[in-house]
Amino acid sequence: MERSILGQIVLLFGTLSLIAVGGANVLVPEIHRQAVGIMGWMNDATFARLLAIVQTAPGPNVMLASIIGWHVAGLAGLVAATIAILLPSSLIAFVCSRGLARFSDRSAVKIMTIALVPIALGLMLASGMVATLAAGAGVLGFVITATTMLLTLRTSLNPLVSMLAGTLVYVTAWLLGLV
């Protein structure tokens, strides 16, 4: 049985909403795999452009689902993707917050919350790798990404400073015809 495009959007983002431990940024690799690789809704360059728009626009990162829905199926796709990505995780967060407030002193709850941190960090790292690959920024893009990550982790430097420096380095290299 073939689903309509709106059905595919709701199924994809509704399912991903259930595994969004660490926020919408951790979903980027799977959204890329589904939207580009499996569904064929766009190519790497389009995905990178949509991700860049979402990252530079004010608002939550979950807008990636909305803008992909809009790209795939117009306004109806935007609405379907937005509701699908927000509703399941919001309901789970509501239920879990009540449970965490009630049982926060239990060791199992403390262990579970601590165990989720490396999972979320690993997923965010994977998101950075996928975004770098999708952008086609090459070796220099990886070097800038890794340098920005290390500066953010190891120093108290505002991440915007390293991001601006990385952008200037890449644009300069591009203007010189090096990339």
Side-chain angles (χ1 to χ4, degrees):
M1 183 172 94
E2 190 166 320
R3 289 190 179 86
S4 70
I5 193 71
L6 290 178
Q8 293 174 10
I9 290 170
V10 168
L11 182 63
L12 172 62
F13 290 114
T15 304
L16 291 176
S17 177
L18 297 173
I19 60 168
V21 177
N25 272 345
V26 303
L27 297 176
V28 170
E30 185 57 21
I31 291 173
H32 175 267
R33 189 177 78 85
Q34 292 283 335
V36 175
I38 295 175
M39 303 290 192
W41 289 338
M42 63 193 71
N43 58 24
D44 278 334
T46 301
F47 184 84
R49 281 193 296 272
L50 295 179
L51 182 60
I53 290 169
V54 167
Q55 293 298 315
T56 56
N61 291 324
V62 76
M63 290 189 315
L64 180 60
S66 303
I67 199 168
I68 288 175
W70 173 67
H71 175 79
V72 172
L75 181 61
L78 181 146
V79 171
T82 303
I83 292 171
I85 197 79
L86 291 175
L87 188 60
S89 59
S90 297
L91 292 173
I92 290 173
F94 177 74
V95 171
C96 287
S97 68
R98 293 179 152 261
L100 285 174
R102 185 172 179 185
F103 301 109
S104 64
D105 58 337
R106 304 250 171 116
S107 61
V109 172
K110 291 177 182 175
I111 290 170
M112 183 182 69
T113 54
I114 291 170
L116 288 175
V117 172
I119 294 170
L121 289 175
L123 289 170
M124 283 190 255
L125 181 61
S127 295
M129 295 294 292
V130 167
T132 304
L133 284 171
V139 173
L140 182 58
F142 276 107
V143 170
I144 291 171
T145 301
T147 304
T148 302
M149 181 183 75
L150 289 173
L151 286 173
T152 302
L153 288 174
R154 300 285 183 191
T155 69
S156 60
L157 185 69
N158 186 325
L160 292 175
V161 173
S162 58
M163 290 168 57
L164 177 63
T167 301
L168 291 175
V169 167
Y170 195 88
V171 168
T172 301
W174 180 75
L175 289 173
L176 295 173
L178 300 174
V179 290

